[in-house]
């Protein structure tokens, strides 16, 4: 079976010359069709940067030094711009992190959903709006007809995230990059949104690369997971295995730092600074060995 | 600006105009200069001068004069021009359409130029052409409209005489219009020849007025476009397979337009103020040109009438900008 997403030895650097900073240092990972893979790591681990690289959303001064991104067996990086744009939004979709800033403030919700559908599916405006109504119903928005006519500022954060989820699933993509989709929401809404993503995935069968720093979320919905730190993959495997028998010291430390219901709060231990220190110095040693970042 | 605020602004218009009236009236009479001195023939006796002064009510105290003038203004009578010996309101109404048409054409040119430059500049963000655009905007912002008027007059009126440089229309064209909105009326009547003649006269002064305003629009719009393009919703549109030009026009532009109109719209008043000198340079028969003659002749009633006219225009423009911004921004419209 061809992986829906295959990333090979990806190096991404921001800036050039003396101010160059490596953000991805040879990341490899695969997502199989229908698989939900958690991508975890602390802030600065490069997990969001990885998602952005796949979506073509790297910052203007970031560049890919080495490595490849393949989508369903097609080399994504050498794909002509036009063909890549036809895949983005259609086969690869994004659920963004912040629902408050991810919708256009001066366009009606219905407009924004319909435009994506019209872009990729041969639909008339009417058909697209009809489809948008169905999508909103599917993400459990009551009175979808009315919500279509509202502006983003008129609906709650949780509702906006549902709209964005509806937009992501709208064209039945085979891969969804969920970039910390619950981080900006409050806890009760988080649960609903997770259940919603889970339900839609079961029904529509998209693979999901779920970027998060929350191991609880990973345990709940991801079958496989990848642990990143300092732009490198430290550990990778079935979620159940990684969480019960972590091989890397960093994963063990992360687990020890995660609150759990079956453990007293005073059992929580922060990730040891010495460990972080040694991981970073190893990353920097790799930087010195490779020529990436010095060109 | 929400609707409630706009109503508040409407309520404030009469006191604002009254304030403008007081200031102009008092200032004119404090500063040196005497309308009677400008109109008497040489060798007039002191008694003649006193009689003229009394005729125009200038012998009374300033408060008395003001109350009398203001009372008439409230009933729509702005008095008679001392130098032109005609009703001030008739004089202004005859000339105002010329200025409004000129300002409108200048504004349209400025908007078209500003839009084109801003979109070009933002499209080439981070590349060398962006610097060129920014530099060009800076130069055009630094050169005032009356200087452009002189440059254009010399270039296209004298050196390469392409366009007429004086007046509103060729004297040999029989217009026999019913209104003084020559441009609108000839457009409505389908008199394309007259439209051409009017526009050719208007073009140089309109460009002179438009260039600094276009640079201002370009700078404001380009900054707003850049800012809006960096927002999440515009970035995410790229991840949905939309091409950059489409994103700029359909996602970014509607958002950038709102701050641009809010900040730049009120600057149309600068353009309107610029008509005073530019109309003079091109002998264009609008109220700006008239204002200069009125000041030279110390024609108190005419100056007062013209200043109030400009004040009404400024207030109306500011209000129009607020209304447009409110209509464009859903957050304000329903707020």
């Amino acid at each position: 079976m061809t992986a829906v997403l295959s990333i090979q030895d990806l190096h991404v650097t921001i800036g050039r010359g003396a101010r160059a900073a490596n953000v991805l240092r040879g990341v490899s990972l695969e997502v199989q069709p229908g698989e939900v893979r958690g991508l975890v790591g602390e802030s600065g681990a490069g997990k969001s940067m990885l998602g952005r690289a796949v979506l073509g959303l790297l910052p203007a001064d970031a560049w890919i030094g080495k490595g490849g991104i393949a989508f369903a067996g097609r080399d994504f990086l050498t794909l002509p711009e036009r063909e890549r744009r036809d895949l983005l939004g259609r086969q690869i979709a994004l659920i963004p992190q912040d629902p408050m800033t991810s919708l256009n403030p001066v366009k009606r919700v219905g407009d924004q959903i319909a435009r994506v559908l019209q872009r990729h599916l041969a639909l008339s405006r009417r058909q697209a709006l009809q489809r948008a109504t169905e999508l909103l119903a599917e993400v459990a928005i009551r009175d979808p007809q009315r919500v279509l006519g509202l502006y983003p500022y008129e609906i709650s954060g949780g509702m906006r995230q549902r709209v964005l989820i509806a937009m992501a699933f709208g064209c039945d993509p085979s891969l969804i990059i969920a970039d910390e989709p619950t981080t900006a929401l409050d806890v009760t809404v988080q649960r609903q949104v997770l259940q919603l993503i889970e339900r839609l995935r079961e029904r529509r069968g998209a693979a999901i690369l779920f970027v998060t720093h929350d191991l609880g979320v990973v345990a709940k919905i991801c079958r496989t997971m990848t642990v990143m730190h300092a732009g490198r993959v430290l550990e990778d495997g079935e979620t159940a295995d990684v969480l019960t028998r972590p091989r890397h010291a960093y994963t063990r430390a992360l687990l020890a730092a995660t609150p759990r219901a079956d453990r007293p709060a005073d059992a929580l231990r922060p990730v040891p600074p010495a460990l972080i220190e040694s991981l970073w110095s190893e990353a920097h040693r790799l930087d010195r060995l490779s020529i990436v970042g010095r060109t | 600006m929400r609707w409630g605020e706009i109503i508040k602004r409407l309520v404030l218009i009469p006191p604002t105009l009254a304030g403008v009236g007081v200031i102009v009236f008092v200032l004119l009479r404090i500063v040196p200069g005497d309308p009677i001195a400008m109109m008497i023939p040489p060798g007039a006796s002191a008694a003649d001068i006193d009689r003229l002064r009394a005729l125009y009510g200038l012998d009374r105290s300033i408060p008395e004069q003001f109350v009398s003038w203001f009372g008439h203004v409230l009933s729509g009578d702005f008095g008679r021009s001392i130098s032109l010996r005609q009703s001030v309101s008739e004089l202004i109404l005859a000339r105002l359409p010329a200025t409004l048409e000129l300002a409108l054409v200048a504004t349209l040119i400025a908007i078209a130029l500003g839009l084109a430059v801003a979109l070009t500049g933002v499209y080439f963000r981070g590349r060398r052409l962006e610097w060129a655009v920014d530099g060009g905007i800076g130069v055009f912002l630094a050169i005032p409209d009356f200087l452009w008027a002189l440059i254009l007059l010399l270039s296209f009126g004298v050196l390469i005489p392409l366009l007429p440089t004086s007046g509103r229309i060729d004297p040999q064209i029989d217009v026999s219009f019913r209104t003084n909105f020559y441009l609108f009326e000839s457009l409505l009547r389908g008199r394309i020849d007259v439209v051409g003649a009017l526009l050719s006269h208007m073009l140089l002064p309109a460009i002179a007025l438009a260039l600094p305003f276009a640079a201002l629009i370009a700078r404001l719009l380009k900054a707003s476009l850049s800012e809006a393009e960096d927002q999440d919703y515009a970035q995410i549109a790229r991840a949905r397979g939309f091409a950059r030009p489409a994103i700029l026009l359909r996602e970014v532009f509607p958002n950038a337009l709102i701050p641009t109109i809010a900040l730049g719209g009120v600057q149309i008043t600068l353009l309107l103020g610029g008509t005073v000198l530019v109309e003079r340079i091109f002998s264009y028969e609008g109220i700006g040109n008239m204002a200069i003659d009125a000041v030279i002749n110390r024609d108190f009633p005419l100056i007062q009438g013209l200043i109030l006219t400009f004040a009404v225009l400024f207030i109306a423009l500011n209000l129009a900008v607020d209304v447009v911004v409110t209509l464009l921004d859903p957050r304000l419209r329903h707020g």
Side-chain angles (χ1 to χ4, degrees):
Chain A
M1 193 157 51
T2 318
V4 61
L5 176 69
S6 166
I7 295 171
Q8 296 299 328
D9 193 27
L10 189 68
H11 287 76
V12 171
T13 306
I14 291 180
R16 286 184 188 269
R19 281 179 306 166
N22 293 332
V23 287
L24 295 181
R25 299 173 162 94
V27 174
S28 299
L29 69 78
E30 288 199 342
V31 182
Q32 302 299 329
E35 178 182 355
V36 183
R37 176 174 285 273
L39 184 58
V40 294
E42 61 191 42
S43 305
K47 52 194 195 302
S48 284
M49 205 54 78
L50 187 73
R52 296 183 72 114
V54 173
L55 293 160
L57 290 185
L58 286 176
D61 54 347
W63 49 285
I64 294 175
K66 203 173 136 191
I69 301 172
F71 174 77
R74 297 166 78 183
D75 183 350
F76 208 54
L77 296 179
T78 57
L79 208 60
E81 174 72 18
R82 268 193 101 81
E83 286 175 48
R84 191 155 55 158
R85 278 210 309 268
D86 286 342
L87 287 178
L88 287 172
R90 173 74 189 83
Q91 293 294 346
I92 309 173
L94 165 73
I95 302 176
Q97 176 168 6
D98 187 353
M100 305 315 272
T101 58
S102 298
L103 288 166
N104 192 329
V106 303
K107 304 235 161 181
R108 290 174 202 276
V109 168
D111 264 358
Q112 303 193 42
I113 305 175
R115 240 167 73 63
V116 181
L117 299 174
Q118 281 181 282
R119 162 72 182 85
H120 292 291
L121 313 173
L123 294 181
S124 70
R125 175 96 188 144
R126 267 188 62 148
Q127 289 169 319
L129 282 171
Q130 176 57 39
R131 182 89 189 80
T133 320
E134 295 161 16
L135 281 168
L136 286 189
E138 218 173 327
V139 294
I141 285 180
R142 260 171 293 160
D143 201 355
Q145 203 77 50
R146 190 181 68 89
V147 174
L148 284 185
L150 296 178
Y151 288 93
Y153 76 95
E154 295 175 294
I155 59 179
S156 68
M159 196 121 111
R160 289 187 206 195
Q161 193 57 295
R162 284 161 197 270
V163 168
L164 288 159
I165 290 169
M167 288 169 91
F169 280 96
C171 299
D172 272 323
S174 44
L175 173 69
I176 288 179
I177 310 239
D179 185 8
E180 310 221 19
T182 55
T183 308
L185 304 172
D186 61 55
V187 184
T188 47
V189 181
Q190 273 184 19
R191 266 245 311 281
Q192 296 169 7
V193 166
L194 278 182
Q195 284 170 356
L196 185 67
I197 294 176
E198 181 69 357
R199 210 176 60 230
L200 277 167
R201 190 200 61 80
E202 274 167 17
R203 199 176 310 164
R204 294 175 176 266
I208 300 181
L209 183 62
F210 204 105
V211 178
T212 180
H213 58 255
D214 187 341
L215 284 175
V217 168
V218 174
K220 204 170 293 165
I221 73 166
C222 301
R223 193 172 58 75
T224 53
M225 65 183 282
T226 301
V227 181
M228 280 183 74
H229 186 271
R232 291 187 301 151
V233 171
L234 298 184
E235 179 156 11
D236 173 292
E238 301 274 324
T239 306
D241 291 346
V242 175
L243 292 184
T244 50
R245 288 184 298 279
R247 277 167 292 151
H248 199 284
Y250 178 72
T251 316
R252 281 197 293 277
L254 266 191
L255 280 168
T258 304
R260 274 166 54 171
D262 60 354
R263 231 170 29 189
D266 56 12
L268 281 183
R269 281 182 307 262
V271 178
L275 176 60
I276 303 284
E277 190 82 12
S278 76
L279 284 171
W280 276 110
S281 65
E282 198 181 328
H284 290 132
R285 192 176 55 80
L286 283 174
D287 288 348
R288 284 193 296 277
L289 288 178
S290 77
I291 50 158
V292 174
R294 272 151 213 286
T295 42
Chain B
M1 183 76 41
R2 289 148 200 245
W3 293 125
E5 303 259 327
I6 287 177
I7 290 167
K8 253 186 247 165
R9 293 275 291 274
L10 281 172
V11 174
L12 281 175
I13 290 177
T16 309
L17 286 176
V20 170
V22 172
I23 292 168
V24 172
F25 198 91
V26 174
L27 274 182
L28 276 177
R29 282 158 180 78
I30 294 175
V31 297
D34 182 349
I36 305 301
M38 307 301 294
M39 62 189 297
I40 47 165
S45 69
D48 290 338
I49 294 173
D50 284 345
R51 263 195 310 116
L52 266 176
R53 208 175 284 283
L55 182 66
Y56 287 103
L58 295 171
D59 53 341
R60 289 178 288 165
S61 71
I62 293 179
E64 270 181 282
Q65 289 183 46
F66 182 79
V67 168
S68 154
W69 174 73
F70 200 69
H72 282 100
V73 166
L74 287 181
S75 62
D77 174 12
F78 287 80
R80 291 177 70 79
S81 156
I82 297 174
S83 60
L84 300 169
R85 298 187 176 81
Q86 281 182 53
S87 144
V88 166
S89 35
E90 275 172 31
L91 282 167
I92 292 177
L93 285 179
R95 291 282 200 102
L96 182 59
T99 297
L100 291 181
E101 287 186 343
L102 177 64
L104 180 70
V105 170
T107 305
L108 293 178
I109 294 174
I111 290 173
L113 276 176
L115 278 181
V117 171
L119 285 169
T120 311
V122 86
Y123 185 77
F124 291 103
R125 257 176 107 185
R127 289 197 251 164
R128 227 169 264 160
L129 194 62
E130 188 195 11
W131 303 354
V133 167
D134 285 343
I137 291 173
V139 169
F140 278 77
L141 270 176
I143 301 179
D145 44 20
F146 60 86
L147 207 57
W148 281 119
L150 293 172
I151 294 168
L152 291 168
L153 182 78
L154 286 175
S155 320
F156 299 105
V158 181
L159 288 179
I160 319 162
L162 284 176
L163 289 162
T165 57
S166 130
R168 195 177 177 197
I169 195 162
D170 311 86
Q172 67 269 26
I173 293 182
D174 174 27
V175 283
S176 60
F177 285 133
R178 228 171 286 149
T179 68
N180 286 311
F181 287 99
Y182 289 0
L183 189 64
F184 288 119
E185 196 173 336
S186 48
L187 275 172
L188 286 176
R189 289 191 186 179
R191 293 282 304 275
I192 299 304
D193 55 326
V194 182
V195 172
L198 284 165
L199 283 180
S200 71
H201 280 80
M202 231 182 242
L203 200 58
L204 290 182
I207 290 175
L209 289 168
L211 287 177
F213 190 42
L216 185 85
I217 292 175
R219 170 164 284 184
L220 289 172
L221 183 59
K222 183 169 167 285
S224 306
L225 284 167
S226 303
E227 201 189 313
E229 198 190 9
D230 290 338
Q231 300 296 308
D232 284 347
Y233 59 82
Q235 294 294 308
I236 290 167
R238 275 165 54 201
R240 293 197 179 115
F242 291 101
R244 184 139 180 270
I247 296 172
L248 281 178
L249 287 177
R250 296 181 67 167
E251 306 283 338
V252 174
F253 182 69
N255 280 283
L257 201 55
I258 295 167
T260 306
I261 293 179
L263 293 170
V266 293
Q267 307 289 338
I268 299 179
T269 54
L270 280 186
L271 184 148
L272 212 53
T275 59
V276 172
L277 285 174
V278 172
E279 282 183 1
R280 187 64 167 190
I281 291 167
F282 288 98
S283 312
Y284 187 86
E285 293 130 21
I287 56 170
N289 201 348
M290 182 182 249
I292 291 187
D293 283 327
V295 170
I296 290 174
N297 292 320
R298 301 285 188 273
D299 193 336
F300 288 174
L302 188 53
I303 296 172
Q304 288 152 199
L306 284 167
I307 299 280
L308 278 182
T309 306
F310 274 110
V312 168
L313 288 177
F314 283 22
I315 291 170
L317 279 170
N318 278 314
L319 205 61
V321 166
D322 288 337
V323 171
V324 169
V325 169
T326 307
L327 287 175
L328 281 177
D329 193 334
R331 287 160 293 192
L332 297 180
R333 191 162 64 220
H334 302 286

